[in-house]
Amino acid sequence: MDFLKKLYPSVFKLEKKVVKPFVIQIVIFAVIGLVMGIINAIVGAIVGPIEVVGPIVGAILWAITAIVDVYCTGGIVCSILKFVGVIKDDADNSGDAE
């Protein structure tokens, strides 16, 4: 759980059943993924026709876009799990271990 807290610190600030910050968090992750896809398409259209550089830039952009998309998808999933209460804070779990 500590790894997820370091990877998605804003997700763990969400509270259970509080809608406004949850929706903002989901929109942020969706917009980041959308912007990355648009940047990938624009740069690919500009550089794609170049014989040597096009495929190299395309492969690099594909890798970066894939990493960003996986990060955003993970952020959305963690946000949903935190919102519905599946992921609990350490303060909530401190009494369970005893």
Side-chain angles (χ1 to χ4, degrees):
M1 193 64 75
D2 290 334
F3 176 72
L4 285 177
K5 283 186 179 182
K6 290 177 184 174
L7 196 58
Y8 301 109
S10 61
V11 169
F12 286 90
K13 295 177 184 174
L14 296 175
E15 297 176 13
K16 183 178 179 181
K17 304 292 183 187
V18 180
V19 177
K20 186 176 179 181
F22 168 70
V23 171
I24 291 171
Q25 189 77 24
I26 297 292
V27 169
I28 288 172
F29 281 124
V31 168
I32 289 171
L34 181 66
V35 167
M36 192 64 207
I38 291 170
I39 290 172
N40 187 5
I42 292 171
V43 172
I46 292 171
V47 182
I50 301 173
E51 287 184 28
V52 176
V53 178
I56 295 170
V57 171
I60 292 170
L61 281 175
W62 175 83
I64 293 171
T65 303
I67 291 169
V68 170
D69 286 345
V70 168
Y71 178 80
C72 291
T73 303
I76 291 171
V77 169
C78 287
S79 297
I80 292 170
L81 293 176
K82 179 73 172 159
F83 177 72
V84 297
V86 173
I87 297 177
K88 300 188 186 315
D89 291 330
D90 288 337
D92 295 341
N93 293 333
S94 63
D96 295 342
E98 294 177 18

